[in-house]
């Protein structure tokens, strides 16, 4: 069983920065595609960024140029560096690990989330 724990959320002013962390246990992130999702109040959960074991990244259009996802395999941890934050970035951010098994079955694991609030 894969367990994910997020940290690093908090309150920041518009234009500020935060760095989120997600540490995995129960499985190496080297065999997973890792992702960050977020859910704002009253909105659906949306994909923010993903990173593969080969460090290939993808970002939602709304965060391109502002957010950077990375991974540290030795620490079994992924990060989300968030710069130039605006109030629209306010949400609970969730870490995701996607595992494809030998049978091609795909399974998603989720963390509990960390809250990010961008406000003056």
């Amino acid at each position: 069983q894969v367990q994910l724990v997020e940290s690093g959320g908090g309150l920041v002013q518009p234009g500020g920065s935060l760095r989120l962390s997600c540490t995995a246990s129960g499985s190496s992130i080297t065999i997973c595609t890792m992702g960050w999702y977020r859910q704002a109040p009253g909105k659906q959960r949306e994909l923010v960024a993903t990173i593969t074991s080969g460090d290939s990244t993808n970002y939602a259009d709304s965060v391109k140029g502002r957010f950077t996802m990375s991974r540290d395999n030795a620490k079994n941890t992924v990060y989300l560096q968030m710069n130039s934050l605006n109030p629209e970035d306010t949400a609970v951010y969730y870490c995701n690990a996607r595992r494809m098994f030998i049978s091609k079955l795909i399974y998603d694991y989720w963390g509990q989330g960390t809250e990010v609030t961008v406000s003056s």
Side-chain angles (χ1 to χ4, degrees), residues 57-78:
T57 54
N58 285 288
Y59 300 94
D61 289 341
S62 60
V63 306
K64 285 182 179 178
R66 300 188 298 120
F67 291 10
T68 302
M69 190 174 181
S70 61
R71 66 198 303 158
D72 186 334
N73 293 335
K75 296 181 178 180
N76 219 30
T77 298
V78 296

Side-chain angles (χ1 to χ4, degrees), residues 69-91:
M69 190 174 181
S70 61
R71 66 198 303 158
D72 186 334
N73 293 335
K75 296 181 178 180
N76 219 30
T77 298
V78 296
Y79 305 93
L80 185 67
Q81 178 66 47
M82 305 185 294
N83 299 325
S84 302
L85 287 162
N86 58 63
E88 288 68 40
D89 297 315
T90 295

Side-chain angles (χ1 to χ4, degrees), residues 4-5 7-8 10-11 31 61 66 70 90 94-95 98 106 115:
L4 305 172
V5 179
S7 63
L11 174 65
I31 62 173
D61 289 341
R66 300 188 298 120
S70 61
T90 295
Y94 297 92
C95 183
R98 174 162 286 186
I106 296 175
E115 189 170 0

Side-chain angles (χ1 to χ4, degrees), residues 91-113:
V92 177
Y93 284 71
Y94 297 92
C95 183
N96 167 263
R98 174 162 286 186
R99 173 81 183 276
M100 179 179 288
F101 295 89
I102 296 296
S103 65
K104 304 299 183 181
L105 175 68
I106 296 175
Y107 199 87
D108 287 318
Y109 302 89
W110 296 92
Q112 295 295 311

Side-chain angles (χ1 to χ4, degrees), residues 39-54:
Q39 187 167 21
K43 295 185 178 180
Q44 299 293 310
R45 185 176 297 188
E46 64 177 352
L47 176 66
V48 176
T50 61
I51 187 168
T52 68
S53 60

Side-chain angles (χ1 to χ4, degrees), residues 27-48:
S27 181
S28 172
I29 63 171
T30 62
I31 62 173
C32 302
T33 293
M34 305 296 296
W36 285 99
Y37 291 71
R38 68 186 182 186
Q39 187 167 21
K43 295 185 178 180
Q44 299 293 310
R45 185 176 297 188
E46 64 177 352
L47 176 66
V48 176

